[in-house]
Every structure is written in structure tokens, then in C-alpha cells.
Amino acid sequence: MVKALDEYRSPQHKVIALLKQGRDQLRVKYRELMEQRRVAENQVRTVEKSRAMWWERAEAAESELRELKEKCLGTFNNFWNRYKVPGAELAK
């Protein structure tokens, strides 16, 4: 059941002051949460950008390593074929 306004004994100015105080506290809490969210989003964005950069660097390094291995192996095979003794084989 709904109580009649006469049954409440608290002065209206106190009730209004408490409501304003609660509202202000919620606003402060909300602003703090929004700031934390913004900071977290920036951190995520920075980490993702850094991860992408390192991924590209790793891919480039692996590609360069592959090319150098192929070049080194090709140079060795050319050298071996040029100077090998007929009938001699590499020990495997």
C-alpha cells in the first residue's frame, strides 16, 4: 500500500539534500569508471599495435633467414660440385 505523505516525518530539505548527495556520488563513480574504461581501451589499442608490429618484424626476420639459408646451401653445393673428387660422396 502507498503511504500518505503525512506519514513521513523527515523534513523535505533533508530528503532533497540526501538525494542530491547520492546523485553527486553516482556521477563521481560513473566518471571514474568511464576514465578507467578509457585507459583500458587505450592500453588494449597500444598492445594490439605493438603485437602487430612485432609480428611483422618476426615474419620479415623468418623470411630473411629462409633466404640466407637457401643462399648459403646453394653456395655450398656450388663449391662442393666444383671441387669434389670424382667417386667421393658426402657422408650423410
Side-chain angles (χ1 to χ4, degrees), residues 2 16 30 44 49 54 70 83:
V2 177
I16 291 172
Y30 177 76
V44 167
K49 183 178 177 182
W54 281 106
E70 289 172 1
Y83 295 106

Side-chain angles (χ1 to χ4, degrees), residues 62-91:
E62 287 177 355
S63 175
E64 183 180 356
L65 178 62
R66 222 176 296 114
E67 290 172 7
L68 289 173
K69 280 183 178 180
E70 289 172 1
K71 182 179 178 183
C72 182
L73 184 60
T75 303
F76 175 76
N77 285 338
N78 287 341
F79 173 80
W80 180 254
N81 289 335
R82 187 179 306 157
Y83 295 106
K84 72 178 182 180
V85 177
E89 295 295 325
L90 270 179

